[in-house]
Amino acid sequence: MLDLTHERERMVERQVARRGVKNSYVLEAMRAVPRERFVPEGLREFAYEDTPLPIEAGQTISQPYIVGLMIEAADVRPGDNVLEVGAGSGYAAAVMSRIADRVYAIERHDELSRLAGARMRRLGYDNVQIRTGDGTQGWPEAAPFDVILVAAGGPAIPQPVKEQLDIGGRLVMPVGTSQREQRLVKVTRHDATHFEEEDLGGVTFVPLIGEHGWSEEACRPAEPRSLKSPAPTRSTPELIRAAAEPLPELDEPAFGALSDRFGEARVVLLGEASHGTSEFYRARAAITRRLIERHGFTIVAVEADWPDAASLDRYVRDRRAPDHAEPAFRRFPTWMWRNTDVEAFIESLRAWNLNRRLEERTGFYGLDLYNLSASIRAVLDYLDKVDPEAARVARERYGCLTPWAKEPQAYGRMALTHGYAQCEAGVVKMLRELMENRLQYFGTDGDQFLDASANARLVKNAEAYYRVMYYGSAKSWNLRDTHMFETLCAILEAKGPNAKAVVWAHNSHIGDASKTEMGLVREELNLGQLCRERFGKGAALIGFGTHSGTVACADNWDEPMQVKRVTPSRPDSYERLAHDSHGNRFLLDLREGMHEELRRRLLEPRLERFIGVIYRPETERWSHYSACSLPQQFDAYVWFDETTAVTPLPTTVRQGAEETYPFGL
Ligand code: SAM
């Protein structure tokens, strides 16, 4: 059976306690109740995500934080007699049952109340009783209650329920005249007639349907508003339409001109909303060419492994390949770099470079850290040439990792079992000594030294990355993004004080994480954020998005590439706002001072879609959407309403290819 104790701990700490829930009864109870047992089987892996989830009968289990917040607000105490209206999955009732004496819960869907009852029995929570019925009538036989929690939004507090509150009792319920948005209200009963009300803030709950709530009729989707009734203000899609700068066709040279406003930046980071969309690659290629040709950028650094990108770099700068250079990008996900769009870009970069002196040519570099074995080999090859004694020491130190180099995850598992970082000291020393000898080595060839030191950095950081991979995602994510940032800085430094870089990485790496849920709740930092911190306005962060189309992706890691349809974006997402503006292809300038009204509207967090190499449309909301604040993440946003999958390169050797052609097999 899945052990999610660690995830549960983390959820309580980050999503609940850190947002201000302090009551130790609530935190302890949430630590004790296995939330994964209250969601449908297929969604268990998402049980500890910071979001509500769908349950049977088309209902939802509330976001963990909201459950914690409501129970704390209701001040549930040992000895209490509690009523919950809207038991849903039974999770909130289960949490309260770990604190109170008795919990009565009512659910209008029989299917749900049966499932919730069965869960309580299996968990041995025998102080909870659940029944099917209209909770707006309360549970008179078990009244009075010290606490009443209503977990669905109604137009007002149902009178019978209010009357079942004991003197001194607390009731918490979402109340609102709109069925979509409510205020969370706390009522304390001081005596027979005196009820004090407190507003706890805005929330969104499913409707409370019953005699003293909404009628079922009223909950049917409303008819579209009559065309005659005037809109109160301009809608957000209308504001987007007004602010959108339409973009020319991708093949037109003018496409890249959108980036002229960032020509003075030190680093321009270009995102993508998937790892397999042709338009994102082609747009980034056009923008990058413009930045190189008009604004003096000479570094292209991408979310790819250093040694693989290095073979493309040798081709674009027409440098000699080392004796045993291997073809690049042969490991999963191959289509991410072995595709026709990247090939066309690489050819254009080479054509540009061949007309320039070596030192003026633009290089192509990898920021990622997965190809441990190729990096080890590259460091050894380099030292063999420049310092054979250091090469001997390096062989010994890297020997510790060699058995794991092809499958480094196994090293992580081993380190976890044995509880120590066997290979850490050696790889750290290796990088340090290489850097200490930089003056001696650098004299031989600056590019080769940069290559060797980047590989040594990759080995050091990859050792740590695979070791912490098993401790949860934030730590390894942070290590990886910090590695990317360090590598980018090392390239900039090696190329001199005026060097400028274009970075290609996924939106999740380049959209500033510090002010979104990613940073605030999950403690994840990223490359975009680190660049902003280091370069201030000298870093331009450009995100990309799409509504629908096709995408190259896989079902699972290491599985074959497929072309899947991208589900049209969700109604509550940024993507849908952009889609509803009816623009096919445009840029939104999101910098402060631009389109203030729109910016203010977009600041409010919404869902944003992130498709990686894996795409699971079946569980799209939980696998691919996360709450963000678009204008805080990006300085600009490039939109393609409909997009197409990349075309992977053929797996046969190209006839008549250059000897140095990097996409060989
Ligand atoms: N607290 C629940 C949990 O932890 O899973 C989530 C509750 S869900 C947001 C709201 C529930 O209220 C739905 O399951 C819905 O069917 C139920 N509901 C709505 N009106 C009701 C009523 N009049 N009586 C009982 N249940 C009702």
Side-chain angles (χ1 to χ4, degrees):
M1 168 147 304
L2 210 57
D3 181 9
L4 297 171
T5 320
H6 181 65
E7 278 72 12
R8 185 151 55 246
E9 270 295 319
R10 228 172 31 186
M11 170 199 84
V12 174
E13 168 55 30
R14 296 197 185 158
Q15 299 172 28
V16 186
R18 205 169 286 178
R19 282 198 180 111
V21 174
K22 295 202 169 51
N23 184 314
S24 57
Y25 291 128
V26 180
L27 299 177
E28 272 316 304
M30 291 187 81
R31 277 191 192 106
V33 177
R35 189 170 145 91
E36 69 276 15
R37 305 277 287 272
F38 291 81
V39 302
E41 188 91 23
L43 295 179
R44 288 205 166 160
E45 62 177 301
F46 306 109
Y48 292 100
E49 297 287 307
D50 188 24
T51 171
L53 291 172
I55 54 175
E56 299 75 6
Q59 299 301 314
T60 53
I61 172 170
S62 309
Q63 182 191 18
Y65 165 62
I66 290 290
V67 174
L69 176 79
M70 287 178 84
I71 302 178
E72 181 177 66
D75 193 14
V76 179
R77 304 167 199 159
D80 278 353
N81 190 37
V82 174
L83 170 70
E84 189 191 22
V85 175
S89 67
Y91 175 69
V95 172
M96 291 191 284
S97 79
R98 302 303 83 205
I99 309 171
D101 231 27
R102 288 216 64 79
V103 178
Y104 297 86
I106 314 175
E107 169 54 53
R108 67 186 281 269
H109 290 287
D110 191 45
E111 181 190 2
L112 291 181
S113 70
R114 280 170 196 273
L115 278 167
R119 285 171 185 141
M120 301 300 169
R121 283 192 292 283
R122 272 200 297 275
L123 288 166
Y125 295 175
D126 53 13
N127 59 341
V128 190
Q129 213 174 312
I130 298 182
R131 76 177 182 199
T132 308
D134 175 8
T136 66
Q137 311 275 11
W139 192 314
E141 317 88 272
F145 298 102
D146 302 294
V147 164
I148 301 178
L149 215 73
V150 184
I157 297 167
Q159 197 55 32
V161 171
K162 207 169 166 181
E163 277 161 15
Q164 289 169 31
L165 195 60
D166 204 355
I167 310 288
R170 290 84 56 200
L171 179 152
V172 175
M173 169 177 169
V175 179
T177 45
S178 135
Q179 281 165 29
R180 293 174 137 242
E181 287 169 349
Q182 305 94 12
R183 310 292 302 173
L184 195 61
V185 173
K186 175 177 178 181
V187 173
T188 309
R189 184 171 197 174
H190 291 300
D191 55 41
T193 54
H194 181 201
F195 294 86
E196 183 193 324
E197 274 197 22
E198 208 182 318
D199 182 341
L200 304 177
V203 285
T204 309
F205 272 79
V206 297
L208 178 74
I209 299 173
E211 193 175 337
H212 302 272
W214 297 102
S215 68
E216 222 157 327
E217 272 301 286
C219 289
R220 301 236 160 82
E223 292 289 314
R225 191 143 43 103
S226 145
L227 288 175
K228 282 192 202 130
S229 63
T233 50
R234 286 207 288 177
S235 68
T236 309
E238 281 166 349
L239 290 174
I240 291 180
R241 188 167 181 74
E245 300 174 36
L247 293 172
E249 292 284 345
L250 270 165
D251 311 330
E252 286 181 31
F255 186 95
L258 70 89
S259 61
D260 287 347
R261 74 200 76 195
F262 300 118
E264 295 300 309
R266 186 90 204 277
V267 279
V268 174
L269 296 99
L270 304 174
E272 59 179 344
S274 86
H275 278 316
T277 301
S278 175
E279 284 76 3
F280 299 151
Y281 282 95
R282 284 154 60 208
R284 297 188 296 179
I287 295 168
T288 305
R289 278 196 299 269
R290 180 88 174 191
L291 290 170
I292 292 169
E293 292 167 14
R294 302 268 181 116
H295 302 287
F297 284 68
T298 53
I299 295 163
V300 181
V302 305
E303 185 188 340
D305 284 321
W306 181 278
D308 298 75
S311 66
L312 264 62
D313 179 57
R314 285 189 288 270
Y315 183 67
V316 299
R317 287 201 286 157
D318 201 31
R319 292 167 56 220
R320 213 174 63 77
D323 299 339
H324 14 262
E326 282 185 12
F329 302 115
R330 292 208 300 184
R331 289 160 319 117
F332 181 90
T334 49
W335 69 89
M336 200 171 140
W337 297 107
R338 277 178 170 261
N339 65 54
T340 53
D341 299 318
V342 172
E343 184 186 41
F345 175 62
I346 290 298
E347 291 297 350
S348 70
L349 209 52
R350 179 175 160 89
W352 166 263
N353 276 341
L354 288 181
N355 291 322
R356 305 204 136 61
R357 288 181 306 156
L358 196 58
E359 59 280 13
E360 289 169 353
R361 293 179 183 172
T362 295
F364 187 87
Y365 307 92
L367 300 178
D368 222 334
L369 50 54
Y370 291 113
N371 199 346
L372 186 58
S373 60
S375 285
I376 291 180
R377 210 169 36 250
V379 178
L380 296 178
D381 283 352
Y382 175 74
L383 289 174
D384 275 341
K385 266 189 258 141
V386 301
D387 190 345
E389 174 52 22
R392 192 190 59 72
V393 176
R395 273 201 171 77
E396 217 166 90
R397 288 177 180 156
Y398 285 164
C400 174
L401 273 178
T402 316
W404 318 98
K406 288 276 179 222
E407 207 221 327
Q409 293 87 336
Y411 171 68
R413 280 198 296 277
M414 182 280 290
L416 195 68
T417 328
H418 296 289
Y420 63 98
Q422 204 178 52
C423 306
E424 184 184 17
V427 297
V428 171
K429 266 197 207 138
M430 217 42 253
L431 175 64
R432 191 176 339 115
E433 285 170 18
L434 203 68
M435 297 311 283
E436 280 166 5
N437 288 329
R438 68 193 309 161
L439 288 182
Q440 179 200 333
Y441 295 153
F442 202 79
T444 53
D445 178 334
D447 273 324
Q448 284 183 18
F449 176 76
L450 173 64
D451 188 64
S453 57
N455 280 307
R457 180 176 304 103
L458 189 152
V459 177
K460 172 187 134 302
N461 290 339
E463 186 275 339
Y465 175 82
Y466 287 110
R467 204 157 24 83
V468 302
M469 205 166 82
Y470 290 91
Y471 290 105
S473 56
K475 232 176 174 175
S476 50
W477 172 275
N478 291 350
L479 247 165
R480 186 173 161 217
D481 271 54
T482 307
H483 169 77
M484 291 200 214
F485 178 67
E486 283 176 6
T487 306
L488 176 65
C489 291
I491 305 167
L492 282 166
E493 195 190 330
K495 299 288 170 189
N498 298 322
K500 303 203 281 186
V502 189
V503 174
W504 293 19
H506 195 272
N507 281 351
S508 52
H509 294 296
I510 71 128
D512 186 343
S514 66
K515 295 179 200 75
T516 69
E517 295 270 328
M518 218 176 142
L520 295 172
V521 176
R522 303 207 294 269
E523 289 190 325
E524 287 169 357
L525 49 74
N526 69 4
L527 182 58
Q529 165 189 351
L530 295 170
C531 283
R532 265 196 183 157
E533 286 167 9
R534 170 72 60 93
F535 304 110
K537 291 214 181 323
L541 277 44
I542 306 180
F544 288 69
T546 186
H547 170 65
S548 63
T550 56
V551 65
C553 55
D555 277 339
N556 289 300
W557 199 256
D558 269 340
E559 289 186 5
M561 188 204 99
Q562 306 177 30
V563 172
K564 293 193 192 179
R565 284 220 71 78
V566 177
T567 315
S569 58
R570 289 175 58 89
D572 48 359
S573 64
Y574 281 113
E575 285 83 354
R576 182 56 73 89
L577 293 177
H579 172 69
D580 287 346
S581 76
H582 302 300
N584 285 335
R585 200 170 46 239
F586 59 78
L587 172 111
L588 278 184
D589 195 326
L590 297 170
R591 289 173 297 173
E592 268 177 52
M594 307 292 291
H595 320 297
E596 274 310 322
E597 169 64 14
L598 173 65
R599 228 183 146 260
R600 209 172 27 252
R601 295 252 193 114
L602 295 179
L603 274 174
E604 180 98 353
R606 276 187 165 263
L607 294 181
E608 182 180 324
R609 178 160 55 193
F610 297 85
I611 300 176
V613 288
I614 312 291
Y615 180 41
R616 299 196 177 120
E618 322 78 54
T619 54
E620 184 160 57
R621 163 66 184 87
W622 306 281
S623 301
H624 300 293
Y625 280 96
S626 134
C628 297
S629 172
L630 204 71
Q632 290 190 301
Q633 283 174 286
F634 303 117
D635 297 300
Y637 188 59
V638 177
W639 179 253
F640 293 95
D641 200 57
E642 171 101 24
T643 46
T644 41
V646 291
T647 307
L649 284 175
T651 49
T652 49
V653 179
R654 202 171 72 154
Q655 286 302 312
E658 280 285 336
E659 206 183 310
T660 50
Y661 179 69
F663 289 119
L665 288 163

